[in-house]
Amino acid sequence: MFAKVTNYVRIDYWAGGRVRIAARAGEDVMLCARQGGHDGRDMDPPLGEGGPLRVDAPPASRNLLFIPAGNSTEMVFQNTYRGFLYRQLFITPAPITPSTVSLAGQTGIVTGSNTGLGYYASSQLLSLGLSRLILAVRDTTKGEKARSSLLAALEESSPGSAKNPPQVEVWPVDLTNYTSIIEFANRVRDTPNLQVNFIILNAGVARLGFEPAPNGNEITIQTNWLSTALMAMTLRPILQAQYTQAKRIATNGHTPPPPVLSIVGSEVAQWAVFKERKIAASGPHTSVLTVLNDRKKSNPGDRYNTSKLLLTLFFREFVDRLPSTKNDVIVNLVNPGFCYGSELHRAITGPLGAVFGGVKRAIGRSTDVGARTLVHGAVVAGRETHGCYLSDEKVAPWMDFVITPKGEQAAHEMWKELSEELREVVNIDGVMEQTGV
């Protein structure tokens, strides 16, 4: 159900199936879509029956789901190829400067930070005065090279920083290995005197051909969906526990800012064909993951798009299932745009790779510019972005499919498959219920 809308708004579910609109006091908002089984008829005025809703006081509860609003024409344009090209060619995310943001005393983690977006985001974070940075990488040798390069670049841009350099560490984590992910999360949990203020889950891959990961799952699906989901689910309660402890020992009313778990998504989820779901539905007792892992049924041209759609569906279900109380962690999904200079598409070689590289140079953002969106999502965007999809440093409309009833059903189905895939690794229900108290 769509209606003309004027703002980005949030729905909170509470007793009796009623809904509360989250916005600033005195702000007029209107809703754009039915969500979570609510048809909006118990609101005043009912959804779709006209009239803005006035918010008389700031909301107090936990947010479970954000729904996109904005001008309806903007929503349609956002999710088109024309909208994509417009953003690529005419919108440049703004740099974040030390004059506006100081990260002194803070600690951050960036995955996939030895190259591309993760590297440039790390560089920008250090330029903002970040005191401790953990580079979470698969190859620690490359991670150490990145560490040296980052510190050298910081000294060049800020002479004298070498006298009191930030603490930059390289921690191994392999997103094709569940055990490695659990070990990484345990290290974050068990390292003495570590309070992480934000985590950017940036690591990802794109493959043109079919390539299995060591555990047998197709590597793009394994990295971009399954393992990123596991990282998010295991790290979120650790962030919460650390924050809860920090609040207990805070003095003079200096409560630390709430931690942020920022996941790097992509607008290409809008264009995913996702034929594997239809194939699975046509066969007896066939999972979507089984089809995704079938080389004969592989659709290489759509695989990356589908992996990002699966990540988006996970994100919405993940936010919806967060604890009803005592969750302070801000979780958002960030689209950096199409960038050249990253190694994301390094597996695309030969003539096709040359053509693709030319396209990236023609319409792509530099990796340094794209990285600004990651930094924004982690250290600038606030509580109002919890559960949101961000693009160009602002809340953006969701992809068309994910806010439809079919999209919601797909999110439920894929959550079940995710739970089944990870059941020998982690108790998802148990992890999701952890409040960090």
Side-chain angles (χ1 to χ4, degrees):
M1 181 185 302
F2 288 88
K4 183 178 180 181
V5 289
T6 58
N7 205 340
Y8 294 100
V9 297
R10 181 173 79 214
I11 286 186
D12 289 279
Y13 295 91
W14 49 312
R18 292 175 292 175
V19 295
R20 174 177 295 162
I21 308 305
R24 294 184 181 89
E27 186 175 44
D28 288 334
V29 296
M30 297 183 73
L31 301 184
C32 70
R34 181 175 57 194
Q35 293 290 336
H38 293 284
D39 62 9
R41 297 184 182 280
D42 50 0
M43 293 193 288
D44 184 18
L47 175 61
E49 295 186 9
L53 303 173
R54 177 159 293 278
V55 180
D56 296 321
S61 63
R62 67 113 135 101
N63 126 290
L64 286 180
L65 183 64
F66 282 78
I67 61 174
N71 181 277
S72 56
T73 301
E74 174 195 350
M75 291 180 63
V76 173
F77 184 68
Q78 172 82 18
N79 292 326
T80 64
Y81 289 110
R82 289 186 298 113
F84 163 72
L85 288 172
Y86 176 82
R87 293 191 300 277
Q88 289 292 130
L89 297 173
F90 300 110
I91 296 180
T92 302
I96 299 161
T97 64
S99 63
T100 57
V101 175
S102 172
L103 302 181
Q106 294 196 28
T107 297
I109 297 175
V110 183
T111 68
S113 41
N114 63 288
T115 187
L117 288 168
Y119 175 88
Y120 281 99
S122 297
S123 179
Q124 292 172 24
L125 290 165
L126 291 174
S127 74
L128 297 175
L130 185 65
S131 296
R132 186 175 183 182
L133 173 64
I134 296 171
L135 306 176
V137 299
R138 181 179 60 84
D139 187 327
T140 54
T141 299
K142 293 181 179 179
E144 289 294 344
K145 290 181 179 178
R147 175 184 179 277
S148 298
S149 176
L150 287 167
L151 290 173
L154 180 64
E155 171 63 17
E156 182 178 346
S157 63
S158 303
S161 61
K163 296 180 181 179
N164 186 25
Q167 185 176 348
V168 181
E169 306 168 41
V170 178
W171 289 16
V173 61
D174 183 353
L175 266 64
T176 67
N177 186 314
Y178 293 139
T179 299
S180 176
I181 293 170
I182 296 301
E183 290 175 349
F184 178 85
N186 289 344
R187 185 176 180 182
V188 175
R189 182 194 64 196
D190 298 336
T191 298
N193 303 316
L194 176 62
Q195 184 206 336
V196 179
N197 298 94
F198 62 86
I199 299 176
I200 300 175
L201 297 182
N202 160 73
V205 299
R207 297 287 190 270
L208 183 60
F210 184 93
E211 181 182 339
N215 65 359
N217 291 326
E218 195 278 326
I219 195 166
T220 306
I221 297 299
Q222 178 65 59
T223 304
N224 298 355
W225 172 39
L226 298 169
S227 291
T228 300
L230 179 60
M231 288 280 282
M233 289 186 291
T234 53
L235 290 170
R236 198 279 313 168
I238 296 171
L239 287 176
Q240 180 62 52
Q242 292 179 350
Y243 180 67
T244 299
Q245 177 63 17
K247 288 195 297 183
R248 286 174 180 159
I249 63 177
T251 59
N252 300 322
H254 293 160
T255 303
V260 177
L261 178 62
S262 191
I263 304 172
V264 179
S266 175
E267 61 198 325
V268 301
Q270 167 70 20
W271 309 321
V273 178
F274 198 22
K275 69 172 186 178
E276 293 85 359
R277 183 169 178 253
K278 295 179 181 178
I279 295 174
S282 65
H285 310 295
T286 303
S287 70
V288 174
L289 184 57
T290 298
V291 179
L292 288 165
N293 289 332
D294 188 334
R295 184 186 298 267
K296 295 180 180 180
K297 296 183 175 67
S298 176
N299 182 3
D302 186 58
R303 182 51 51 96
Y304 181 74
N305 298 357
T306 292
S307 73
K308 288 300 185 178
L309 173 61
L310 289 167
L311 180 63
T312 303
L313 294 174
F314 158 76
F315 176 87
R316 287 172 60 84
E317 195 76 8
F318 175 59
V319 172
D320 194 39
R321 292 170 179 265
L322 289 177
S324 58
T325 58
K326 295 184 174 64
N327 175 62
D328 297 293
V329 181
I330 298 167
V331 187
N332 56 41
L333 185 70
V334 175
N335 168 45
F338 188 50
C339 302
Y340 65 81
S342 75
E343 295 188 11
L344 177 64
H345 303 97
R346 58 187 176 271
I348 304 177
T349 59
L352 180 59
V355 172
F356 191 71
V359 172
K360 290 178 74 172
R361 290 293 301 190
I363 67 172
R365 295 169 173 169
S366 71
T367 310
D368 184 48
V369 170
R372 295 172 184 174
T373 65
L374 275 61
V375 175
H376 173 270
V379 304
V380 177
R383 291 183 184 275
E384 69 277 6
T385 70
H386 176 61
C388 277
Y389 169 65
L390 308 181
S391 186
D392 302 319
E393 299 180 334
K394 64 180 181 180
V395 177
W398 288 105
M399 305 82 182
D400 297 338
F401 174 71
V402 302
I403 60 172
T404 64
K406 288 184 179 180
E408 291 181 358
Q409 180 60 34
H412 298 330
E413 293 171 2
M414 299 319 299
W415 183 271
K416 291 179 181 178
E417 290 206 21
L418 180 69
S419 299
E420 179 63 23
E421 166 68 12
L422 299 178
R423 64 186 174 88
E424 295 185 3
V425 181
V426 65
N427 178 347
I428 288 184
D429 291 338
V431 167
M432 291 302 297
E433 291 172 0
Q434 292 180 24
T435 61
V437 176

